[in-house]
Amino acid sequence: MGKKRVAIILSGCGVYDGSELHESSAAMVHLSRAGAEVQLYAPNVNQMHVVDHMTGQPTEEVRNVLVESSRIARGNIKNLDDLSINDTDALVIPGGFGVAKNLSNWAVKGKDFTVEASVESTVKKFHATKKPIGLCCISPVLAAKLIPGCELTVGYDTECEKWPYAKTAQAMADLGCKHINKHVNEVHVDKQNKLVTTSAFMCNAPIHEVFDGIGEMVKEVLKLA
């Protein structure tokens, strides 16, 4: 069998307004080590806003998600509209606030959010053709919206210093999903929906544990591909 062909969807460049760089890099490293053929994509839309990552405050700039994502991709990136489901075996979406601001409007709408059109179409195509999807950090919210009744994890559902975003788990349940508590270096595999999720930086954990958890996600996605 030839190389597994995996698409990664990015949402910009930088945790506060785009893709989380360490999660994106971890996914790419683990896929590379496994011998997968990777192509990066992003929607050709403007970011919700641009955040100064030193101050955490929005600026007056306007930036494009595809252009900013090309920084992570070293320029080798395509418009998400050009993704061919027939040429791809699996899908991975790293986290970062760009998922909640650019790939969807979760950040401002909460449970009433919608998903950006090209992202929604892509996720639904992978699910309909029974091709695996790997999601980490906040990106499982996309599955919660688009794959009714799925099982997923964003970590733990009890908020504490280690799990500062635990309320997100309850929001997933409110959307009709089954949330499974998992540590940062673990994944949950929804075999019926071919969905693999891990918490990544939803947990206040050392970066190597986040890296290991994403490695488990990649391993399970490739098993299903």
Side-chain angles (χ1 to χ4, degrees), residues 94-106:
F97 281 100
V99 172
K101 295 177 177 180
N102 304 327
L103 303 190
S104 73
N105 56 10
W106 164 270

Side-chain angles (χ1 to χ4, degrees), residues 10 28 40 67-77:
L10 299 179
M28 293 163 69
L40 286 85
V67 172
E68 290 303 295
S69 298
S70 70
R71 294 174 180 269
I72 299 174
R74 297 171 61 87
N76 183 15
I77 195 164

Side-chain angles (χ1 to χ4, degrees), residues 19-191:
S19 289
E20 211 294 320
L21 275 82
H22 300 293
E23 293 176 11
S24 303
S25 177
M28 293 163 69
V29 169
H30 286 297
L31 286 165
S32 175
R33 183 173 287 149
E37 181 180 311
V38 177
Q39 177 60 58
L40 286 85
Y41 296 87
N44 186 15
V45 297
N46 284 339
Q47 295 182 185
M48 185 187 95
H49 61 191
V50 178
V51 174
D52 180 330
H53 278 58
M54 289 190 68
T55 66
Q57 297 302 309
T59 72
E60 297 300 316
E61 293 181 70
V62 177
R63 298 190 185 184
N64 177 277
V65 174
L66 179 59
V67 172
E68 290 303 295
S69 298
S70 70
R71 294 174 180 269
I72 299 174
R74 297 171 61 87
N76 183 15
I77 195 164
K78 295 181 179 180
N79 188 327
L80 184 54
D81 288 337
D82 296 332
L83 188 153
S84 171
I85 189 74
N86 295 327
D87 297 332
T88 315
D89 300 309
L91 176 67
V92 169
I93 307 180
F97 281 100
V99 172
K101 295 177 177 180
N102 304 327
L103 303 190
S104 73
N105 56 10
W106 164 270
V108 293
K109 293 288 188 178
K111 290 178 290 186
D112 297 322
F113 77 114
T114 57
V115 180
E116 193 277 331
S118 64
V119 177
E120 177 175 359
S121 174
T122 300
V123 171
K124 285 183 173 180
K125 283 178 182 176
F126 274 86
H127 183 245
T129 53
K130 301 187 185 305
K131 294 184 177 183
I133 302 170
L135 305 170
C136 65
C137 194
I138 191 62
S139 66
V141 300
L142 303 174
K145 186 72 171 184
L146 302 175
I147 306 175
C150 67
E151 297 178 357
L152 49 77
T153 189
V154 289
Y156 279 79
D157 57 8
T158 302
E159 193 160 328
C160 62
E161 183 178 356
K162 190 174 183 67
W163 296 98
Y165 305 107
K167 290 180 180 177
T168 307
Q170 183 58 52
M172 301 297 94
D174 291 345
L175 286 166
C177 300
K178 182 178 182 180
H179 182 268
I180 311 295
N181 285 344
K182 292 286 184 178
H183 191 59
V184 66
N185 59 2
E186 299 177 316
V187 301
H188 180 68
V189 181
D190 179 344
K191 294 183 178 178

Side-chain angles (χ1 to χ4, degrees), residues 197-214:
T197 51
T198 191
S199 61
F201 281 110
M202 296 295 279
C203 180
N204 185 14
I207 192 169
H208 71 277
E209 292 188 13
V210 173
F211 183 87
D212 291 345
I214 292 173

